[in-house]
Amino acid sequence: VLAQLEVVLPGVVAAFSNPNADVRKAAVFCLVDVYMSLGEQAMPFLVKDLTPSQMKLVTIYIGRQQREREELGQAASFAHGQDGTQSCD
């Protein structure tokens, strides 16, 4: 993914300014997915290409995605009894 970022990002960033809200939303989710795949390696590319307000929006959605993944991980651990308690299987 990292090797292709310079090819893909311009189109995604352009979609961020599309008049259609669904296209803009898809662009945000795409950038969040890029970050979730690459982690902090993606940040220099995002900061370089996005306006401060776009970056803030992407960062908010990254935070939400990270919280969701943490909650899912905790729920899975609990369901499998990895929290120190026994599950009721």
Side-chain angles (χ1 to χ4, degrees), residues 58-70:
V58 170
T59 303
I60 288 168
Y61 276 92
I62 287 170
R64 287 182 183 173
Q65 183 72 24
Q66 288 172 329
R67 282 190 301 280
E68 285 178 18
R69 285 191 179 184
E70 287 172 10

Side-chain angles (χ1 to χ4, degrees), residues 16 25 27-29 31-33 35-36 40 43 46-47 50-71:
F16 213 132
K25 185 176 179 180
V28 171
F29 290 154
L31 294 173
V32 170
D33 286 344
Y35 178 85
M36 297 307 287
E40 287 298 315
M43 276 304 185
L46 300 179
V47 171
L50 298 176
T51 66
S53 61
Q54 289 172 330
M55 192 65 211
K56 183 172 183 169
L57 182 62
V58 170
T59 303
I60 288 168
Y61 276 92
I62 287 170
R64 287 182 183 173
Q65 183 72 24
Q66 288 172 329
R67 282 190 301 280
E68 285 178 18
R69 285 191 179 184
E70 287 172 10
E71 290 169 4

Side-chain angles (χ1 to χ4, degrees), residues 41 78-79 82:
Q41 291 179 313
F78 182 75
Q82 296 175 0

